[in-house]
Amino acid sequence: MPPTPPSMGRRAVLGAAAAVATTVTGLSATASATPAPASAEPSGGRPLDLPGGGDLGPNVIVFDPSTPGIQARLDDVFRQQETAQFGTGRYALLFKPGTYNGLNAQIGFYTSIAGLGLSPDDTTINGDVTVDAGWFNGNATQNFWRSAENLAVVPVNGTNRWAVAQAAPFRRMHVRGGLNLSPNGYGWASGGYIADSRIDGQVGPYSQQQWYTRDSAIGGWLNGVWNMVFSGVEGAPAQTFPNPPYTTLNTTPVSREKPFLYLNGSEYRVFLPEKRTDARGVTWGNGTPRGTSLALSQFYVAKPGDSAATLNQALAQGLHLLLTPGIYHVDQTLQVDNANTVVLGLGYATIVPDNGVTALRVADVDGVRLAGFLIDAGPVNSPTLLEVGPTGASRDHSVNPITVQDVFVRIGGAGAGKATTSMVINSRHTIVDHTWVWRADHGTGVGWDTNRADYGVVINGDDVLATGLFVEHFNKYDVQWFGQRGRTIFFQNEKAYDAPNQAAIQNGSVKGFAAYRVGDNVTAHEGWGLGSYCYYNVDPTIVQHHGFAAPNTSGVKFHNLLVVSLGGNGQYERVINDIGSPTSGTSTTPSTVVSYP
């Protein structure tokens, strides 16, 4: 299918109306785990220990096969969330193990749907789990911030529709049929991410411009527009970039799946999948999945309104954090200092730093898992929003790495926000598995200096692996990689739409800041399937010299790079450094480099 017409740009740059959701009345999830008792306050006046476990709150809605009115409840949530792109509603829809018939779960903004079994096949929906784009006139390029996880789906007509863009992961799913990644009518789409999933039938991306699939099994793959990347996927198409634009790695070097909530009898627990090397295929389906689990009583079950001081007290006590759906304002940095701490969000729990603080910092310790939440910059500039490891971190974490999964960052859109650098990775061996770091191009609080954010992701740590790296619209560099032996499998980028003129993006003598820059002192780095697009709609005469910048040395290698001018709104002179053909005209045709150097 053709890419987005030039008249619209990739994302139609029109801010959708932000409908603020109201609370859905329904079953809340109450943990059966007995909360740990609070200790008596010592004579020294230390705060009482916080209890673990407890109720998951009103916006975690739990169903079992005997629950009456499931479809009506799903429809109620969807009505509130369908168009609420920058609203305040946050929901997790959880299904206990069993079989559910005749459902169509339409998934809107800030909504997660998940099964509560150890395997997707423990929870079967005879019906559909649907994302479409009726709210945006058939354009799926703004279907952000939603997810499906740990379910088996038997689609009514044989094919399930999941028409999404960024920040909409499809994890640990079993589709007993096909999967259509485009909206009804095959309108525009720009996703996306699948991991640890089995699609028995064919995956049809149709109009999807780019997609990354990791450690899964598929019955086939129909087509590609610009950039389709596979690692560790049984049934993936062969390597053929650029025509068709398939980048295929037989395995994923290192992976560790996202933690997830499940039921053990009537007790809620959090499962922690084990690390795999040279991974291929799903982690489930052959008996009990490999890993460990934690009782909910080992978590502080956070609720919107909890202060940063309370959350930090829980972390200092040695509790993990479960962020129930909602918005959390923090006036001090959340500090994760203990090894193996889990910070897991449900229903797109959102952290907003107040007064210019950094939202969350992780010490240089083993095994921390950050997963399933959104960080939304506040109106006072934060120097950073997320820091993994302190400056100069050097410990070897190869046996038990830190993982950052489905952690998304936003600057502007829901209101004015600013941050100099969004995400900084200093700890060695960190795995960044699916992130979208986005300086907003639409919504409220958007403008070249209004939501100023110079740098998206900065990686200083050695041996870092990024699988599914989406970083867009920053005022200067989107990604800067200074650590040695870094690896990226799939990168998607757009340069900032709103640059007012050529001078505003000038980088010394270079026209524009690269989307992805490898530092001059790096001697070993490798990337597969990387794309950068420009849409300088404020000044379409802007010229971007290249999408990628890297040292010209044998140890720094790239495979399957592309740059695209969207409808001629700006142009690239080269792909990487001074290599690659320029883009030209309004045809939205990629310029590619298959191998560098």
Side-chain angles (χ1 to χ4, degrees):
M1 299 297 293
T4 309
S7 61
M8 292 290 282
R10 188 173 67 83
R11 230 174 241 144
V13 205
L14 301 172
V20 177
T22 56
T23 302
V24 169
T25 319
L27 282 174
S28 63
T30 303
S32 61
T34 303
S39 64
E41 184 174 344
S43 58
R46 181 175 63 82
L48 292 172
D49 279 352
L50 295 166
D55 183 89
L56 298 182
N59 286 23
V60 176
I61 303 172
V62 180
F63 304 102
D64 66 45
S66 66
T67 302
I70 296 176
Q71 185 65 55
R73 194 74 53 81
L74 295 173
D75 291 345
D76 190 16
V77 174
F78 180 65
R79 274 193 298 271
Q80 296 178 55
Q81 299 303 110
E82 181 184 11
T83 65
Q85 181 169 184
F86 299 113
T88 58
R90 304 285 187 274
Y91 292 96
L93 309 173
L94 305 183
F95 287 75
K96 294 182 179 181
T99 300
Y100 300 79
N101 295 314
L103 296 182
N104 180 19
Q106 299 182 82
I107 306 302
F109 285 101
Y110 312 110
T111 305
S112 298
I113 185 170
L116 286 169
L118 264 182
S119 166
D121 289 328
D122 292 341
T123 310
T124 298
I125 292 179
N126 288 310
D128 294 274
V129 174
T130 302
V131 176
D132 208 340
W135 75 278
F136 202 45
N137 300 316
N139 178 352
T141 61
Q142 292 184 23
N143 281 348
F144 312 140
W145 306 305
R146 64 199 75 198
S147 63
E149 184 174 359
N150 204 29
L151 292 164
V153 178
V154 184
V156 170
N157 69 355
T159 301
N160 191 74
R161 185 182 304 281
W162 187 255
V164 296
Q166 288 77 6
F170 198 80
R171 285 186 182 268
R172 201 178 179 80
M173 293 288 286
H174 185 187
V175 180
R176 297 180 195 160
L179 186 63
N180 181 346
L181 303 179
S182 72
N184 186 32
Y186 303 100
W188 311 307
S190 178
Y193 176 90
I194 293 171
D196 199 23
S197 293
R198 182 177 296 278
I199 317 300
D200 292 348
Q202 184 179 65
V203 179
Y206 299 103
S207 55
Q208 282 287 354
Q209 293 158 352
Q210 67 277 319
W211 199 277
Y212 176 48
T213 308
R214 178 182 64 71
D215 299 348
S216 294
I218 61 176
W221 192 272
L222 181 63
N223 72 298
V225 176
W226 293 336
N227 192 30
M228 303 285 149
V229 180
F230 309 84
S231 67
V233 178
E234 297 169 357
Q239 166 74 40
T240 53
F241 187 90
N243 187 25
Y246 298 149
T247 298
T248 302
L249 286 73
N250 190 53
T251 61
T252 303
V254 187
S255 66
R256 190 174 67 190
E257 299 302 332
K258 174 181 171 288
F260 61 91
L261 192 68
Y262 76 103
L263 279 172
N264 180 28
S266 60
E267 177 196 10
Y268 284 97
R269 299 184 68 87
V270 172
F271 192 81
L272 308 178
E274 72 172 18
K275 187 189 77 172
R276 297 196 291 170
T277 56
D278 296 320
R280 182 172 172 83
V282 300
T283 63
W284 49 271
N286 295 306
T288 303
R290 299 174 68 90
T292 58
S293 74
L294 298 168
L296 199 66
S297 58
Q298 295 175 265
F299 284 78
Y300 179 72
V301 180
K303 305 294 195 329
D306 280 343
S307 68
T310 297
L311 300 180
N312 275 329
Q313 182 188 342
L315 290 166
Q317 275 178 223
L319 291 171
H320 308 277
L321 280 187
L322 186 70
L323 301 172
T324 64
I327 297 174
Y328 296 77
H329 282 267
V330 296
D331 58 0
Q332 59 182 256
T333 300
L334 302 183
Q335 188 67 47
V336 179
D337 289 332
N338 296 318
N340 301 308
T341 299
V342 178
V343 179
L344 176 61
L346 300 179
Y348 285 84
T350 301
I351 302 171
V352 182
D354 292 333
N355 304 319
V357 302
T358 295
L360 191 149
R361 284 196 183 101
V362 179
D364 194 25
V365 294
D366 273 356
V368 171
R369 306 184 195 221
L370 308 179
F373 57 89
L374 174 65
I375 299 174
D376 202 354
V380 178
N381 185 75
S382 294
T384 58
L385 293 173
L386 173 64
E387 294 181 18
V388 176
T391 301
S394 60
R395 293 184 183 176
D396 186 319
H397 301 295
S398 56
V399 173
N400 187 13
I402 297 167
T403 49
V404 181
Q405 299 177 285
D406 300 347
V407 173
F408 306 120
V409 176
R410 178 172 70 194
I411 303 95
K418 293 185 178 182
T420 304
T421 304
S422 290
M423 183 182 295
V424 180
I425 307 294
N426 292 317
S427 287
R428 293 181 63 192
H429 302 102
T430 298
I431 301 172
V432 180
D433 176 45
H434 190 226
T435 189
W436 184 40
V437 181
W438 185 58
R439 175 182 168 266
D441 60 84
H442 63 270
T444 59
V446 171
W448 185 247
D449 291 308
T450 305
N451 61 329
R452 183 82 193 186
D454 283 352
Y455 308 110
V457 176
V458 174
I459 297 177
N460 299 310
D462 294 341
D463 307 292
V464 171
L465 172 65
T467 51
L469 186 59
F470 299 72
V471 188
E472 296 190 301
H473 305 305
F474 285 85
N475 294 79
K476 293 184 178 179
Y477 291 111
D478 298 277
V479 172
Q480 293 187 92
W481 205 302
F482 299 115
Q484 298 288 354
R485 297 175 299 280
R487 292 174 290 186
T488 295
I489 304 173
F490 182 89
F491 170 69
Q492 187 266 325
N493 165 263
E494 285 182 341
K495 296 303 299 173
Y497 290 177
D498 55 348
N501 50 48
Q502 187 76 45
I505 66 158
Q506 194 67 16
N507 181 18
S509 62
V510 179
K511 299 172 185 173
F513 292 81
Y516 187 109
R517 173 199 176 200
V518 179
D520 295 342
N521 296 324
V522 173
T523 57
H525 186 91
E526 196 159 10
W528 297 262
L530 290 78
S532 176
Y533 319 147
C534 73
Y535 183 72
Y536 289 117
N537 63 321
V538 175
D539 181 359
T541 68
I542 289 175
V543 174
Q544 175 84 23
H545 181 62
H546 49 215
F548 304 90
N552 184 8
T553 180
S554 60
V556 175
K557 304 174 184 177
F558 287 95
H559 315 272
N560 306 343
L561 299 169
L562 69 135
V563 295
V564 181
S565 166
L566 302 181
N569 289 276
Q571 302 289 348
Y572 292 90
E573 290 180 328
R574 294 288 183 262
V575 178
I576 180 168
N577 295 347
D578 298 317
I579 295 171
S581 300
T583 59
S584 63
T586 60
S587 63
T588 314
T589 300
S591 178
T592 62
V593 168
V594 173
S595 182
Y596 174 88

